[in-house]
Every structure is written in C-alpha cells, then in structure tokens.
Amino acid sequence: MSAPRLRATPLPGIGVQYDLETREHRHLSVVAHRDGTRTVNVYRADDPDSCAQSLRLTSSEAGSLIDALKPSHHSPSLLYTTDLGLVAERIEVAATSRWNGRVLGDTRMRTETGASVVAVLRRAEAIPSPAPDFRLAGGDTLIVVGTREGVDAAAAILGRE
C-alpha cells in the first residue's frame, strides 16, 4: 500500500488547507487557521468536491484529537517521553485560575517540582523560555518539561486535577 498523499494549499489571510485522499478514495481536509483553530471537513463519497460535514475545533480540541489519533500515552496533553525519563506536557491556565494575571515566578513551580516551563502558547503565538516575571493569562497553555512526578505536581500547582 502506498503512503497517503497530503497536499498543502496556502489560504492567504486564513491559514493552510491540508487535503488527504484515503485508501478508500474518501476526501478529507483540515484547515489550519492562523488563530490556532482547525476546521475538519469530510467530503461526500459520491462527490468528492461536496462537503458532507464540517467541524470547527479549538486548538485544545485539535490537540486532543491528535492525541486520540496517534496515542503515545494515556495523558491527552502529553507531548513526548524520552529514555531519560522526562516528559513534556501541555497544561492550560484556566480563566478562573488563581494564577490568571499573576507572574510565573509566583507559582514557585520550578522550585517546588523541579519541572520547567519551556514555552507558553498564547492564542496563535509561542513565547519561548518565559522569565519568572512573565504574566500568565487565562487560556495560556504552558509547555512543562520534567519528570512524570514533577509535571504532575506542576499541574496540581496550576489547579488542574
């Protein structure tokens, strides 16, 4: 069986559309919007140019779908593991979080857990290596790296169950 062909088409001002034809000759597409959202489209079997279903996903929902399609661990926010025993995980700061509007250093996350925040995803922007004076906002997704125990403790500090 040959590898599936994925075609990318730039959509100026919108993002990029990825089209895939399955082995059953079904047409699927995903529009990766500039704001981080995704639109998944499934086309009719009898007319591959007619969209039968369209579903708009938030960036968090799209991440969960990716995890479901290619699971590497039981955690839906796990990014990867290594032979060194480290994990990188996405942890979202809720709008109602006590940390919303406060600086990262106030969490004492690295001191208390040994885990490090290596980036913050805010809307369609990535902020690498945020300093302790970086102000957190509801909806931010922190990329946290550490041991499994450290990342779990960091998630607890941020209020995720």
Side-chain angles (χ1 to χ4, degrees), residues 49-148:
D49 293 324
S50 263
C51 187
Q53 184 73 42
S54 185
L55 181 63
R56 182 91 176 214
L57 302 173
T58 65
S59 57
S60 250
E61 292 165 340
S64 293
L65 180 60
I66 289 165
D67 289 335
L69 292 171
K70 189 173 181 176
S72 60
H73 186 270
H74 69 280
S75 172
S77 55
L78 182 71
L79 296 174
Y80 65 86
T81 60
T82 68
D83 292 336
L84 299 174
L86 297 176
V87 297
E89 195 164 334
R90 300 178 188 104
I91 302 173
E92 188 170 336
V93 176
T96 57
S97 170
R98 67 182 276 209
W99 304 111
N100 185 1
R102 295 180 62 188
V103 297
L104 179 61
D106 286 351
T107 68
R108 298 184 40 80
M109 192 179 314
R110 188 176 5 211
T111 303
E112 299 292 327
T113 70
S116 297
V117 176
V118 297
V120 175
L121 308 178
R122 180 175 286 168
R123 293 181 219 88
E125 179 184 11
I127 299 112
S129 303
D133 64 349
F134 178 83
R135 194 159 301 278
L136 298 169
D140 283 353
T141 299
L142 281 57
I143 306 299
V144 180
V145 175
T147 63
R148 171 82 270 153

Side-chain angles (χ1 to χ4, degrees), residues 3 5 8 12 19 39 76 95 107 117 137 148-149 151 160:
R5 185 171 154 233
D19 290 283
T39 303
T107 68
V117 176
R148 171 82 270 153
E149 295 79 18
V151 171
R160 190 187 76 198

